[in-house]
Amino acid sequence: MTDRAPEDLVRQLAFLNEADRLKSVERATTLNDGSRQENSGEHSWHVALYAMVLDGQAEPDVRLDRVIKMLLLHDLVEIDAGDNPIHAPTSDPAQQALAEKTAADRIFGLLPEAQAIEFRALWNEFEAAESPDARFAKAMDRVQPLQTNLALDGKLWEMHGVTEEQIRRRVGNPISKGARTLWDHLSAKLATHFAVKS
Amino acid sequence: MTDRAPEDLVRQLAFLNEADRLKSVERATTLNDGSRQENSGEHSWHVALYAMVLDGQAEPDVRLDRVIKMLLLHDLVEIDAGDNPIHAPTSDPAQQALAEKTAADRIFGLLPEAQAIEFRALWNEFEAAESPDARFAKAMDRVQPLQTNLALDGKLWEMHGVTEEQIRRRVGNPISKGARTLWDHLSAKLATHFAVKS
Ligand SMILES: [Ca+2]
């Protein structure tokens, strides 16, 4: 980007002001100490840090800079469409997908055109979860709340009546697709957790 | 990083759990809507997004991926040392600097050694504010709360009795050092703000 034209800058600053609202979107998960719900702004920071720290767990062709950009953007649609909790998903996935696409049109549309196209493409790639970069980004997005649940000794899972099998399907699958060795480690932790609980 | 050894992974996950505490560090600034204090975790996300969006305002030799990494890490020391508000700084800067260095030793020291050295070097570079990457990162760290203050029509400045001259020195200087054209734009906005107020 080499856009120093004032009109582009005005649009960029308006987008950044709008993004501030992501700090008011509450997630189903709490902080690791259980003190309050996590919001999607601080979650986005944390998963980007996860990617930076766990880069060595990614497949060799993964480009960390693209992964981090995806993670910084991935939840912005929630400003309009709200959070869709993995263990209590909406009853109408098609409606949710439409709401998120409409949100992406509006929110990325605040940016100068070239940048809107670039960011929207990154978000589409993340959502599709097919490219190596997107698969690693999705894995990070799932590992972070798993860590919170383990830190809270499964309190949130119990509260939502979530089983080990559901966690393996909803959380384990996307993690293993993007970070195989990391999932082997976490899978063992999960097995221990539920062995102790049962 | 190609560290797949379990002992490295255990340390990395411990570091990421510790980082969660940054979401409980309150800053002097609020959200743009004034509804509550901002925390340093969501602030770190927002300034990384600022860098990604305003990349075109950086000098040509600035490497965005390094800037974003610096911004993801820049406030972690606040977990131990607390936030040091720009308009109400500590009365003992040497003591604050020591507290932050001690915090950096402890927090980055949770990581595997090679990564601890890499992250600490990025943090040191940010703090020194001399390299082109660090100057742009520092500019982003100052632009974001300036935007919040402008969104709130100067309410926080009034509350803390901050003058236009103080803002130009404490906020304008670091912004102009890292993003000259951006500062020209914001400087004009600031002048208008205070012309209307006076
Ligand atoms: Ca800061």
Side-chain angles (χ1 to χ4, degrees), chain A residues 43-53 64 68 71-72, chain B residues 72:
Chain A
H43 159 74
S44 298
W45 162 71
H46 208 179
V47 293
L49 188 66
Y50 264 77
M52 183 173 164
V53 170
L64 178 63
I68 290 177
L71 288 167
L72 293 175
Chain B
L72 293 175

Side-chain angles (χ1 to χ4, degrees), chain A:
Chain A
M1 305 296 302
T2 51
D3 41 19
R4 302 201 180 202
E7 61 270 37
D8 281 357
L9 186 52
V10 169
R11 298 188 73 144
Q12 290 167 323
L13 293 174
F15 169 86
L16 288 163
N17 274 339
E18 184 68 14
D20 196 77
R21 295 174 60 202
L22 192 61
K23 301 167 190 169
S24 300
V25 175
E26 277 197 352
R27 288 166 50 80
T29 39
T30 63
L31 303 193
N32 277 15
D33 64 6
S35 57
R36 62 167 173 82
Q37 300 303 115
E38 189 185 36
N39 72 63
S40 293
E42 61 201 1
H43 159 74
S44 298
W45 162 71
H46 208 179
V47 293
L49 188 66
Y50 264 77
M52 183 173 164
V53 170
L54 298 175
D55 185 30
Q57 300 287 331
E59 295 304 313
D61 54 345
V62 166
R63 287 176 47 191
L64 178 63
D65 60 330
R66 297 187 77 253
V67 171
I68 290 177
K69 284 181 174 181
M70 279 180 204
L71 288 167
L72 293 175
L73 299 177
H74 81 292
D75 272 343
L76 282 170
V77 295
E78 294 182 0
I79 290 171
D80 290 350
D83 180 42
N84 186 25
I86 185 164
H87 293 305
T90 170
S91 53
D92 190 342
Q95 158 78 39
Q96 178 68 18
L98 181 64
E100 291 183 1
K101 280 201 170 61
T102 308
D105 288 345
R106 184 187 76 77
I107 295 165
F108 296 127
L110 295 171
L111 289 164
E113 195 182 358
Q115 205 164 35
I117 291 169
E118 179 198 345
F119 284 23
R120 178 59 179 265
L122 278 169
W123 182 77
N124 288 348
E125 183 179 337
F126 176 82
E127 284 296 302
E130 284 163 6
S131 72
D133 291 353
R135 287 202 311 263
F136 186 62
K138 281 275 179 189
M140 298 301 100
D141 192 35
R142 292 290 178 260
V143 171
Q144 185 255 344
L146 173 61
Q147 283 271 99
T148 299
N149 271 293
L150 288 170
L152 290 167
D153 196 29
K155 202 180 83 178
L156 301 173
W157 289 328
E158 282 167 37
M159 209 190 310
H160 295 101
V162 181
T163 66
E164 180 176 0
E165 186 277 329
Q166 287 171 325
I167 298 163
R168 291 188 177 277
R169 185 158 35 84
R170 296 170 184 166
V171 177
N173 277 350
I175 297 175
S176 67
K177 275 183 197 150
R180 177 89 238 169
T181 310
L182 175 59
W183 174 244
D184 291 343
H185 177 80
L186 295 170
S187 174
K189 271 180 149 176
L190 197 65
T192 305
H193 171 83
F194 279 97
V196 171
K197 291 278 166 188
S198 68

